[in-house]
Amino acid sequence: MSKLSLDRILQSQGFGTRKYCRTLIEDGEVAVNGVVQDNYKTVVDTESLVLTVFEEEWRYREHVYIALYKPANYECSRKPSHHPGVLTLLPEQFTWREVQPVGRLDHDTTGMLLMSDDGPFIHAQSSPKRHVPKVYQATTAEPVTDALVAQLLGGVQLHDEPAPLAALVCEKKGEHQLEIVLEQGKYHQVKRMLAAAGNHCSALHRSAIGGLQLASLGLQEGEWCYLDEAQLALLAG
Ligand code: URA
């Protein structure tokens, strides 16, 4: 629980600069737990706080933890160059809060992308020491053979890696479909592993991170949701 002035609270939730937040409050655009409050110096308890800004309700959150169903043709980089950035799929407040992707998916990869403004969480989730399994559905240009599966499970050498990288799990799901589970998150890892094994990845989708399945979130492509404590706990695997 913490008590802060209303202008600071609004700024912390991504509604803009302190000056702009003060104007919003003085203009009567902000309600605290349903009651309009036009004095920006008012000290408010953040516990169970619900703000109404321009008639839209926002629960106070110290940090946000989000899952986005990333569509193709969006970039995860901070300064996207060829396609719109994934942040354009979220409310503008999240850009102000400096929400960022946890790791990256290629612009043409679809599926689950975690996003947060909690630095230690982002760091812990992306740490190579963490070994969180990530589940991918790959479509291959050439048919999936038993030899391909065996190679991916046995380990393939990528040219800039000191040792071969192996899939934790690799299962043929169709003539050109493969489910592959990786615990590392190297650059273009699935595509490079498939290429090193003599095939080519023509489409890629991330269906789960740890024990959290994208399908359990009920999202359509381009949609996002907050993750609760139980869902965050599943990320550990
Ligand atoms: N591996 C890839 O090759 N691309 C991704 O986007 C994720 C994993």
Side-chain angles (χ1 to χ4, degrees):
M1 175 184 89
S2 56
K3 293 187 175 186
L4 298 167
S5 62
L6 187 53
D7 58 346
R8 286 189 62 185
I9 290 181
L10 228 57
Q11 188 185 17
S12 75
Q13 301 301 287
F15 287 97
T17 61
R18 183 83 64 89
K19 194 169 165 210
Y20 177 69
C21 290
R22 287 180 177 178
T23 309
L24 280 183
I25 297 163
E26 287 180 336
D27 287 352
E29 299 292 359
V30 180
V32 174
N33 298 325
V35 179
V36 173
Q37 180 53 263
D38 61 7
N39 182 351
Y40 66 76
K41 291 184 187 157
T42 304
V43 173
V44 174
D45 188 348
T46 57
E47 179 83 18
S48 308
L49 168 63
V50 178
L51 295 164
T52 312
V53 183
F54 291 125
E55 297 181 2
E56 200 176 334
E57 287 196 352
W58 294 88
R59 205 184 97 198
Y60 174 88
R61 291 169 196 268
E62 189 180 353
H63 289 295
V64 289
Y65 305 92
I66 290 166
L68 169 71
Y69 186 160
K70 181 192 171 296
N73 299 323
Y74 282 84
E75 289 183 24
C76 289
S77 70
R78 272 173 169 266
K79 292 190 180 152
S81 47
H82 299 295
H83 302 278
V86 285
L87 272 161
T88 62
L89 294 164
L90 306 181
E92 206 187 336
Q93 279 93 313
F94 294 141
T95 303
W96 280 92
R97 291 186 71 147
E98 300 190 13
V99 166
Q100 23 179 316
V102 180
R104 289 187 179 187
L105 290 177
D106 298 334
H107 81 273
D108 52 354
T109 301
T110 60
M112 194 188 322
L113 182 66
L114 302 179
M115 301 184 77
S116 179
D117 61 353
D118 179 350
F121 170 81
I122 296 173
H123 191 256
Q125 280 293 322
S126 2
S127 162
K129 292 192 194 123
R130 205 168 149 94
H131 304 304
V132 180
K134 302 195 177 72
V135 186
Y136 295 92
Q137 314 299 326
T139 307
T140 59
E142 306 302 328
V144 173
T145 59
D146 290 346
L148 175 73
V149 172
Q151 246 183 308
L152 293 169
L153 285 171
V156 290
Q157 184 64 54
L158 303 183
H159 79 272
D160 54 354
E161 290 298 326
L165 295 174
L168 276 183
V169 177
C170 183
E171 275 177 29
K172 179 175 176 170
K173 294 283 179 180
E175 188 63 9
H176 290 264
Q177 292 295 327
L178 198 61
E179 179 170 286
I180 177 162
V181 183
L182 299 180
E183 64 173 10
Q184 316 88 351
K186 310 274 182 192
Y187 180 67
H188 292 328
Q189 189 173 341
V190 175
K191 293 175 186 167
R192 287 160 71 218
M193 284 176 71
L194 276 165
N199 206 312
H200 172 78
C201 181
S202 55
L204 189 59
H205 175 83
R206 184 155 72 190
S207 55
I209 298 177
L212 185 63
Q213 306 279 342
L214 178 61
S216 73
L217 302 175
L219 300 173
Q220 301 293 316
E221 275 194 52
E223 291 182 342
W224 62 276
C225 64
Y226 292 109
L227 295 176
D228 62 24
E229 302 252 322
Q231 290 165 328
L232 289 172
L234 288 173
L235 293 174

mmCIF file with all atom_site columns, all heavy atoms in Angstrom, residues 11 16 20 22 37 44 49 70 94 111 113 118 133 137-139 145 148 179 188 213 215:
data_model
loop_
_atom_site.group_PDB
_atom_site.id
_atom_site.type_symbol
_atom_site.label_atom_id
_atom_site.label_alt_id
_atom_site.label_comp_id
_atom_site.label_asym_id
_atom_site.label_entity_id
_atom_site.label_seq_id
_atom_site.pdbx_PDB_ins_code
_atom_site.Cartn_x
_atom_site.Cartn_y
_atom_site.Cartn_z
_atom_site.occupancy
_atom_site.B_iso_or_equiv
_atom_site.pdbx_formal_charge
_atom_site.auth_seq_id
_atom_site.auth_comp_id
_atom_site.auth_asym_id
_atom_site.auth_atom_id
_atom_site.pdbx_PDB_model_num
ATOM 1   N N   . GLN A 1 11  ? 0.482   10.119  -13.420 1.00 0.00 ? 11  GLN A N   1
ATOM 2   C CA  . GLN A 1 11  ? 1.707   10.045  -14.232 1.00 0.00 ? 11  GLN A CA  1
ATOM 3   C C   . GLN A 1 11  ? 2.277   8.624   -14.206 1.00 0.00 ? 11  GLN A C   1
ATOM 4   O O   . GLN A 1 11  ? 2.663   8.086   -15.249 1.00 0.00 ? 11  GLN A O   1
ATOM 5   C CB  . GLN A 1 11  ? 2.750   11.038  -13.717 1.00 0.00 ? 11  GLN A CB  1
ATOM 6   C CG  . GLN A 1 11  ? 3.945   11.142  -14.640 1.00 0.00 ? 11  GLN A CG  1
ATOM 7   C CD  . GLN A 1 11  ? 5.042   12.033  -14.067 1.00 0.00 ? 11  GLN A CD  1
ATOM 8   O OE1 . GLN A 1 11  ? 5.065   12.319  -12.871 1.00 0.00 ? 11  GLN A OE1 1
ATOM 9   N NE2 . GLN A 1 11  ? 5.936   12.452  -14.925 1.00 0.00 ? 11  GLN A NE2 1
ATOM 10  N N   . GLY A 1 16  ? 0.529   10.658  -18.990 1.00 0.00 ? 16  GLY A N   1
ATOM 11  C CA  . GLY A 1 16  ? 1.254   11.784  -19.590 1.00 0.00 ? 16  GLY A CA  1
ATOM 12  C C   . GLY A 1 16  ? 2.166   12.456  -18.584 1.00 0.00 ? 16  GLY A C   1
ATOM 13  O O   . GLY A 1 16  ? 2.412   11.924  -17.494 1.00 0.00 ? 16  GLY A O   1
ATOM 14  N N   . TYR A 1 20  ? 0.596   17.672  -17.679 1.00 0.00 ? 20  TYR A N   1
ATOM 15  C CA  . TYR A 1 20  ? -0.631  17.292  -18.392 1.00 0.00 ? 20  TYR A CA  1
ATOM 16  C C   . TYR A 1 20  ? -1.611  16.622  -17.421 1.00 0.00 ? 20  TYR A C   1
ATOM 17  O O   . TYR A 1 20  ? -2.817  16.885  -17.453 1.00 0.00 ? 20  TYR A O   1
ATOM 18  C CB  . TYR A 1 20  ? -0.283  16.357  -19.560 1.00 0.00 ? 20  TYR A CB  1
ATOM 19  C CG  . TYR A 1 20  ? -1.511  15.870  -20.294 1.00 0.00 ? 20  TYR A CG  1
ATOM 20  C CD1 . TYR A 1 20  ? -2.279  16.745  -21.061 1.00 0.00 ? 20  TYR A CD1 1
ATOM 21  C CD2 . TYR A 1 20  ? -1.924  14.541  -20.199 1.00 0.00 ? 20  TYR A CD2 1
ATOM 22  C CE1 . TYR A 1 20  ? -3.428  16.306  -21.708 1.00 0.00 ? 20  TYR A CE1 1
ATOM 23  C CE2 . TYR A 1 20  ? -3.062  14.094  -20.845 1.00 0.00 ? 20  TYR A CE2 1
ATOM 24  C CZ  . TYR A 1 20  ? -3.808  14.976  -21.600 1.00 0.00 ? 20  TYR A CZ  1
ATOM 25  O OH  . TYR A 1 20  ? -4.948  14.544  -22.238 1.00 0.00 ? 20  TYR A OH  1
ATOM 26  N N   . ARG A 1 22  ? -1.906  17.144  -14.263 1.00 0.00 ? 22  ARG A N   1
ATOM 27  C CA  . ARG A 1 22  ? -2.517  18.179  -13.406 1.00 0.00 ? 22  ARG A CA  1
ATOM 28  C C   . ARG A 1 22  ? -3.671  18.849  -14.150 1.00 0.00 ? 22  ARG A C   1
ATOM 29  O O   . ARG A 1 22  ? -4.728  19.114  -13.562 1.00 0.00 ? 22  ARG A O   1
ATOM 30  C CB  . ARG A 1 22  ? -1.472  19.225  -13.024 1.00 0.00 ? 22  ARG A CB  1
ATOM 31  C CG  . ARG A 1 22  ? -0.509  18.663  -12.006 1.00 0.00 ? 22  ARG A CG  1
ATOM 32  C CD  . ARG A 1 22  ? 0.538   19.674  -11.597 1.00 0.00 ? 22  ARG A CD  1
ATOM 33  N NE  . ARG A 1 22  ? 1.385   19.082  -10.563 1.00 0.00 ? 22  ARG A NE  1
ATOM 34  C CZ  . ARG A 1 22  ? 2.414   19.680  -10.005 1.00 0.00 ? 22  ARG A CZ  1
ATOM 35  N NH1 . ARG A 1 22  ? 2.746   20.906  -10.372 1.00 0.00 ? 22  ARG A NH1 1
ATOM 36  N NH2 . ARG A 1 22  ? 3.117   19.077  -9.071  1.00 0.00 ? 22  ARG A NH2 1
ATOM 37  N N   . GLN A 1 37  ? -12.343 14.197  -8.671  1.00 0.00 ? 37  GLN A N   1
ATOM 38  C CA  . GLN A 1 37  ? -11.408 14.867  -7.764  1.00 0.00 ? 37  GLN A CA  1
ATOM 39  C C   . GLN A 1 37  ? -10.611 15.884  -8.593  1.00 0.00 ? 37  GLN A C   1
ATOM 40  O O   . GLN A 1 37  ? -9.850  15.497  -9.481  1.00 0.00 ? 37  GLN A O   1
ATOM 41  C CB  . GLN A 1 37  ? -10.482 13.794  -7.160  1.00 0.00 ? 37  GLN A CB  1
ATOM 42  C CG  . GLN A 1 37  ? -9.453  14.302  -6.201  1.00 0.00 ? 37  GLN A CG  1
ATOM 43  C CD  . GLN A 1 37  ? -10.061 15.155  -5.095  1.00 0.00 ? 37  GLN A CD  1
ATOM 44  O OE1 . GLN A 1 37  ? -10.069 16.380  -5.195  1.00 0.00 ? 37  GLN A OE1 1
ATOM 45  N NE2 . GLN A 1 37  ? -10.583 14.497  -4.075  1.00 0.00 ? 37  GLN A NE2 1
ATOM 46  N N   . VAL A 1 44  ? -3.833  10.083  -2.272  1.00 0.00 ? 44  VAL A N   1
ATOM 47  C CA  . VAL A 1 44  ? -4.743  8.962   -2.507  1.00 0.00 ? 44  VAL A CA  1
ATOM 48  C C   . VAL A 1 44  ? -4.019  7.653   -2.186  1.00 0.00 ? 44  VAL A C   1
ATOM 49  O O   . VAL A 1 44  ? -2.831  7.495   -2.500  1.00 0.00 ? 44  VAL A O   1
ATOM 50  C CB  . VAL A 1 44  ? -5.205  8.972   -3.996  1.00 0.00 ? 44  VAL A CB  1
ATOM 51  C CG1 . VAL A 1 44  ? -6.039  7.756   -4.321  1.00 0.00 ? 44  VAL A CG1 1
ATOM 52  C CG2 . VAL A 1 44  ? -5.967  10.254  -4.313  1.00 0.00 ? 44  VAL A CG2 1
ATOM 53  N N   . LEU A 1 49  ? -7.265  0.922   -5.793  1.00 0.00 ? 49  LEU A N   1
ATOM 54  C CA  . LEU A 1 49  ? -7.691  2.186   -6.416  1.00 0.00 ? 49  LEU A CA  1
ATOM 55  C C   . LEU A 1 49  ? -8.194  1.964   -7.845  1.00 0.00 ? 49  LEU A C   1
ATOM 56  O O   . LEU A 1 49  ? -7.552  1.274   -8.642  1.00 0.00 ? 49  LEU A O   1
ATOM 57  C CB  . LEU A 1 49  ? -6.495  3.152   -6.421  1.00 0.00 ? 49  LEU A CB  1
ATOM 58  C CG  . LEU A 1 49  ? -6.617  4.419   -7.260  1.00 0.00 ? 49  LEU A CG  1
ATOM 59  C CD1 . LEU A 1 49  ? -7.746  5.317   -6.757  1.00 0.00 ? 49  LEU A CD1 1
ATOM 60  C CD2 . LEU A 1 49  ? -5.300  5.194   -7.236  1.00 0.00 ? 49  LEU A CD2 1
ATOM 61  N N   . LYS A 1 70  ? 0.676   -11.727 -30.715 1.00 0.00 ? 70  LYS A N   1
ATOM 62  C CA  . LYS A 1 70  ? 1.338   -10.935 -31.759 1.00 0.00 ? 70  LYS A CA  1
ATOM 63  C C   . LYS A 1 70  ? 0.926   -11.423 -33.147 1.00 0.00 ? 70  LYS A C   1
ATOM 64  O O   . LYS A 1 70  ? 1.086   -12.604 -33.450 1.00 0.00 ? 70  LYS A O   1
ATOM 65  C CB  . LYS A 1 70  ? 2.861   -11.040 -31.597 1.00 0.00 ? 70  LYS A CB  1
ATOM 66  C CG  . LYS A 1 70  ? 3.616   -10.213 -32.628 1.00 0.00 ? 70  LYS A CG  1
ATOM 67  C CD  . LYS A 1 70  ? 5.100   -10.567 -32.630 1.00 0.00 ? 70  LYS A CD  1
ATOM 68  C CE  . LYS A 1 70  ? 5.817   -9.930  -33.793 1.00 0.00 ? 70  LYS A CE  1
ATOM 69  N NZ  . LYS A 1 70  ? 5.370   -10.407 -35.098 1.00 0.00 ? 70  LYS A NZ  1
ATOM 70  N N   . PHE A 1 94  ? 0.585   2.599   -22.124 1.00 0.00 ? 94  PHE A N   1
ATOM 71  C CA  . PHE A 1 94  ? 1.650   1.626   -21.914 1.00 0.00 ? 94  PHE A CA  1
ATOM 72  C C   . PHE A 1 94  ? 2.978   2.094   -22.511 1.00 0.00 ? 94  PHE A C   1
ATOM 73  O O   . PHE A 1 94  ? 4.036   1.732   -22.025 1.00 0.00 ? 94  PHE A O   1
ATOM 74  C CB  . PHE A 1 94  ? 1.248   0.254   -22.456 1.00 0.00 ? 94  PHE A CB  1
ATOM 75  C CG  . PHE A 1 94  ? 0.097   -0.368  -21.709 1.00 0.00 ? 94  PHE A CG  1
ATOM 76  C CD1 . PHE A 1 94  ? -0.889  -1.065  -22.358 1.00 0.00 ? 94  PHE A CD1 1
ATOM 77  C CD2 . PHE A 1 94  ? 0.011   -0.237  -20.337 1.00 0.00 ? 94  PHE A CD2 1
ATOM 78  C CE1 . PHE A 1 94  ? -1.950  -1.628  -21.659 1.00 0.00 ? 94  PHE A CE1 1
ATOM 79  C CE2 . PHE A 1 94  ? -1.050  -0.790  -19.618 1.00 0.00 ? 94  PHE A CE2 1
ATOM 80  C CZ  . PHE A 1 94  ? -2.037  -1.488  -20.293 1.00 0.00 ? 94  PHE A CZ  1
ATOM 81  N N   . GLY A 1 111 ? 2.041   -15.180 -32.276 1.00 0.00 ? 111 GLY A N   1
ATOM 82  C CA  . GLY A 1 111 ? 1.890   -15.916 -31.021 1.00 0.00 ? 111 GLY A CA  1
ATOM 83  C C   . GLY A 1 111 ? 2.176   -15.107 -29.780 1.00 0.00 ? 111 GLY A C   1
ATOM 84  O O   . GLY A 1 111 ? 2.172   -13.880 -29.792 1.00 0.00 ? 111 GLY A O   1
ATOM 85  N N   . LEU A 1 113 ? 3.509   -13.094 -26.839 1.00 0.00 ? 113 LEU A N   1
ATOM 86  C CA  . LEU A 1 113 ? 4.597   -12.186 -26.493 1.00 0.00 ? 113 LEU A CA  1
ATOM 87  C C   . LEU A 1 113 ? 4.261   -11.573 -25.137 1.00 0.00 ? 113 LEU A C   1
ATOM 88  O O   . LEU A 1 113 ? 3.185   -11.005 -24.960 1.00 0.00 ? 113 LEU A O   1
ATOM 89  C CB  . LEU A 1 113 ? 4.701   -11.080 -27.561 1.00 0.00 ? 113 LEU A CB  1
ATOM 90  C CG  . LEU A 1 113 ? 5.829   -10.071 -27.356 1.00 0.00 ? 113 LEU A CG  1
ATOM 91  C CD1 . LEU A 1 113 ? 7.198   -10.732 -27.504 1.00 0.00 ? 113 LEU A CD1 1
ATOM 92  C CD2 . LEU A 1 113 ? 5.708   -8.913  -28.341 1.00 0.00 ? 113 LEU A CD2 1
ATOM 93  N N   . ASP A 1 118 ? 8.092   -3.841  -15.720 1.00 0.00 ? 118 ASP A N   1
ATOM 94  C CA  . ASP A 1 118 ? 8.810   -4.217  -14.500 1.00 0.00 ? 118 ASP A CA  1
ATOM 95  C C   . ASP A 1 118 ? 10.199  -4.723  -14.908 1.00 0.00 ? 118 ASP A C   1
ATOM 96  O O   . ASP A 1 118 ? 10.350  -5.866  -15.354 1.00 0.00 ? 118 ASP A O   1
ATOM 97  C CB  . ASP A 1 118 ? 7.987   -5.310  -13.788 1.00 0.00 ? 118 ASP A CB  1
ATOM 98  C CG  . ASP A 1 118 ? 8.650   -5.796  -12.502 1.00 0.00 ? 118 ASP A CG  1
ATOM 99  O OD1 . ASP A 1 118 ? 9.824   -5.439  -12.249 1.00 0.00 ? 118 ASP A OD1 1
ATOM 100 O OD2 . ASP A 1 118 ? 7.995   -6.546  -11.764 1.00 0.00 ? 118 ASP A OD2 1
ATOM 101 N N   . PRO A 1 133 ? 10.972  -23.100 -20.874 1.00 0.00 ? 133 PRO A N   1
ATOM 102 C CA  . PRO A 1 133 ? 10.683  -23.700 -22.180 1.00 0.00 ? 133 PRO A CA  1
ATOM 103 C C   . PRO A 1 133 ? 9.689   -22.862 -22.969 1.00 0.00 ? 133 PRO A C   1
ATOM 104 O O   . PRO A 1 133 ? 8.707   -22.367 -22.415 1.00 0.00 ? 133 PRO A O   1
ATOM 105 C CB  . PRO A 1 133 ? 10.088  -25.066 -21.836 1.00 0.00 ? 133 PRO A CB  1
ATOM 106 C CG  . PRO A 1 133 ? 9.905   -25.101 -20.377 1.00 0.00 ? 133 PRO A CG  1
ATOM 107 C CD  . PRO A 1 133 ? 10.487  -23.888 -19.754 1.00 0.00 ? 133 PRO A CD  1
ATOM 108 N N   . GLN A 1 137 ? 5.204   -23.690 -32.933 1.00 0.00 ? 137 GLN A N   1
ATOM 109 C CA  . GLN A 1 137 ? 4.638   -24.492 -34.005 1.00 0.00 ? 137 GLN A CA  1
ATOM 110 C C   . GLN A 1 137 ? 5.272   -23.980 -35.291 1.00 0.00 ? 137 GLN A C   1
ATOM 111 O O   . GLN A 1 137 ? 5.055   -22.823 -35.663 1.00 0.00 ? 137 GLN A O   1
ATOM 112 C CB  . GLN A 1 137 ? 3.108   -24.329 -34.080 1.00 0.00 ? 137 GLN A CB  1
ATOM 113 C CG  . GLN A 1 137 ? 2.398   -24.429 -32.724 1.00 0.00 ? 137 GLN A CG  1
ATOM 114 C CD  . GLN A 1 137 ? 2.590   -25.774 -32.046 1.00 0.00 ? 137 GLN A CD  1
ATOM 115 O OE1 . GLN A 1 137 ? 2.668   -26.802 -32.721 1.00 0.00 ? 137 GLN A OE1 1
ATOM 116 N NE2 . GLN A 1 137 ? 2.680   -25.785 -30.715 1.00 0.00 ? 137 GLN A NE2 1
ATOM 117 N N   . ALA A 1 138 ? 6.054   -24.826 -35.920 1.00 0.00 ? 138 ALA A N   1
ATOM 118 C CA  . ALA A 1 138 ? 6.758   -24.394 -37.137 1.00 0.00 ? 138 ALA A CA  1
ATOM 119 C C   . ALA A 1 138 ? 6.136   -25.063 -38.361 1.00 0.00 ? 138 ALA A C   1
ATOM 120 O O   . ALA A 1 138 ? 5.793   -26.254 -38.322 1.00 0.00 ? 138 ALA A O   1
ATOM 121 C CB  . ALA A 1 138 ? 8.235   -24.767 -37.040 1.00 0.00 ? 138 ALA A CB  1
ATOM 122 N N   . THR A 1 139 ? 5.988   -24.301 -39.422 1.00 0.00 ? 139 THR A N   1
ATOM 123 C CA  . THR A 1 139 ? 5.596   -24.858 -40.720 1.00 0.00 ? 139 THR A CA  1
ATOM 124 C C   . THR A 1 139 ? 6.873   -24.938 -41.549 1.00 0.00 ? 139 THR A C   1
ATOM 125 O O   . THR A 1 139 ? 7.641   -23.966 -41.594 1.00 0.00 ? 139 THR A O   1
ATOM 126 C CB  . THR A 1 139 ? 4.560   -23.935 -41.421 1.00 0.00 ? 139 THR A CB  1
ATOM 127 O OG1 . THR A 1 139 ? 3.489   -23.708 -40.505 1.00 0.00 ? 139 THR A OG1 1
ATOM 128 C CG2 . THR A 1 139 ? 4.030   -24.550 -42.697 1.00 0.00 ? 139 THR A CG2 1
ATOM 129 N N   . THR A 1 145 ? 10.673  -35.140 -41.629 1.00 0.00 ? 145 THR A N   1
ATOM 130 C CA  . THR A 1 145 ? 11.072  -36.556 -41.651 1.00 0.00 ? 145 THR A CA  1
ATOM 131 C C   . THR A 1 145 ? 11.519  -36.978 -40.239 1.00 0.00 ? 145 THR A C   1
ATOM 132 O O   . THR A 1 145 ? 11.819  -36.118 -39.402 1.00 0.00 ? 145 THR A O   1
ATOM 133 C CB  . THR A 1 145 ? 12.275  -36.765 -42.595 1.00 0.00 ? 145 THR A CB  1
ATOM 134 O OG1 . THR A 1 145 ? 13.346  -35.933 -42.114 1.00 0.00 ? 145 THR A OG1 1
ATOM 135 C CG2 . THR A 1 145 ? 11.934  -36.376 -44.028 1.00 0.00 ? 145 THR A CG2 1
ATOM 136 N N   . LEU A 1 148 ? 14.869  -35.531 -39.549 1.00 0.00 ? 148 LEU A N   1
ATOM 137 C CA  . LEU A 1 148 ? 14.873  -34.114 -39.135 1.00 0.00 ? 148 LEU A CA  1
ATOM 138 C C   . LEU A 1 148 ? 14.596  -34.023 -37.633 1.00 0.00 ? 148 LEU A C   1
ATOM 139 O O   . LEU A 1 148 ? 15.310  -33.322 -36.898 1.00 0.00 ? 148 LEU A O   1
ATOM 140 C CB  . LEU A 1 148 ? 13.798  -33.330 -39.912 1.00 0.00 ? 148 LEU A CB  1
ATOM 141 C CG  . LEU A 1 148 ? 13.636  -31.869 -39.485 1.00 0.00 ? 148 LEU A CG  1
ATOM 142 C CD1 . LEU A 1 148 ? 14.813  -31.015 -39.955 1.00 0.00 ? 148 LEU A CD1 1
ATOM 143 C CD2 . LEU A 1 148 ? 12.332  -31.279 -40.007 1.00 0.00 ? 148 LEU A CD2 1
ATOM 144 N N   . GLU A 1 179 ? 6.154   -29.405 -33.864 1.00 0.00 ? 179 GLU A N   1
ATOM 145 C CA  . GLU A 1 179 ? 6.146   -28.677 -32.583 1.00 0.00 ? 179 GLU A CA  1
ATOM 146 C C   . GLU A 1 179 ? 7.538   -28.801 -32.000 1.00 0.00 ? 179 GLU A C   1
ATOM 147 O O   . GLU A 1 179 ? 8.077   -29.910 -31.911 1.00 0.00 ? 179 GLU A O   1
ATOM 148 C CB  . GLU A 1 179 ? 5.110   -29.264 -31.620 1.00 0.00 ? 179 GLU A CB  1
ATOM 149 C CG  . GLU A 1 179 ? 5.119   -28.521 -30.292 1.00 0.00 ? 179 GLU A CG  1
ATOM 150 C CD  . GLU A 1 179 ? 3.938   -28.912 -29.417 1.00 0.00 ? 179 GLU A CD  1
ATOM 151 O OE1 . GLU A 1 179 ? 2.807   -28.488 -29.722 1.00 0.00 ? 179 GLU A OE1 1
ATOM 152 O OE2 . GLU A 1 179 ? 4.159   -29.657 -28.448 1.00 0.00 ? 179 GLU A OE2 1
ATOM 153 N N   . HIS A 1 188 ? 16.762  -15.805 -33.907 1.00 0.00 ? 188 HIS A N   1
ATOM 154 C CA  . HIS A 1 188 ? 16.211  -16.629 -35.004 1.00 0.00 ? 188 HIS A CA  1
ATOM 155 C C   . HIS A 1 188 ? 16.449  -18.126 -34.759 1.00 0.00 ? 188 HIS A C   1
ATOM 156 O O   . HIS A 1 188 ? 16.711  -18.875 -35.697 1.00 0.00 ? 188 HIS A O   1
ATOM 157 C CB  . HIS A 1 188 ? 16.881  -16.293 -36.346 1.00 0.00 ? 188 HIS A CB  1
ATOM 158 C CG  . HIS A 1 188 ? 16.574  -14.929 -36.878 1.00 0.00 ? 188 HIS A CG  1
ATOM 159 N ND1 . HIS A 1 188 ? 15.385  -14.283 -36.678 1.00 0.00 ? 188 HIS A ND1 1
ATOM 160 C CD2 . HIS A 1 188 ? 17.313  -14.111 -37.654 1.00 0.00 ? 188 HIS A CD2 1
ATOM 161 C CE1 . HIS A 1 188 ? 15.414  -13.108 -37.295 1.00 0.00 ? 188 HIS A CE1 1
ATOM 162 N NE2 . HIS A 1 188 ? 16.571  -12.965 -37.882 1.00 0.00 ? 188 HIS A NE2 1
ATOM 163 N N   . GLN A 1 213 ? -0.350  -21.384 -21.718 1.00 0.00 ? 213 GLN A N   1
ATOM 164 C CA  . GLN A 1 213 ? -0.733  -21.614 -23.119 1.00 0.00 ? 213 GLN A CA  1
ATOM 165 C C   . GLN A 1 213 ? -1.443  -20.386 -23.669 1.00 0.00 ? 213 GLN A C   1
ATOM 166 O O   . GLN A 1 213 ? -2.377  -19.879 -23.029 1.00 0.00 ? 213 GLN A O   1
ATOM 167 C CB  . GLN A 1 213 ? -1.740  -22.775 -23.203 1.00 0.00 ? 213 GLN A CB  1
ATOM 168 C CG  . GLN A 1 213 ? -1.306  -24.058 -22.549 1.00 0.00 ? 213 GLN A CG  1
ATOM 169 C CD  . GLN A 1 213 ? -0.379  -24.857 -23.437 1.00 0.00 ? 213 GLN A CD  1
ATOM 170 O OE1 . GLN A 1 213 ? -0.332  -24.623 -24.644 1.00 0.00 ? 213 GLN A OE1 1
ATOM 171 N NE2 . GLN A 1 213 ? 0.361   -25.775 -22.856 1.00 0.00 ? 213 GLN A NE2 1
ATOM 172 N N   . ALA A 1 215 ? -3.573  -20.371 -25.998 1.00 0.00 ? 215 ALA A N   1
ATOM 173 C CA  . ALA A 1 215 ? -4.985  -20.731 -26.235 1.00 0.00 ? 215 ALA A CA  1
ATOM 174 C C   . ALA A 1 215 ? -5.833  -20.552 -24.971 1.00 0.00 ? 215 ALA A C   1
ATOM 175 O O   . ALA A 1 215 ? -7.034  -20.300 -25.061 1.00 0.00 ? 215 ALA A O   1
ATOM 176 C CB  . ALA A 1 215 ? -5.082  -22.166 -26.735 1.00 0.00 ? 215 ALA A CB  1
#
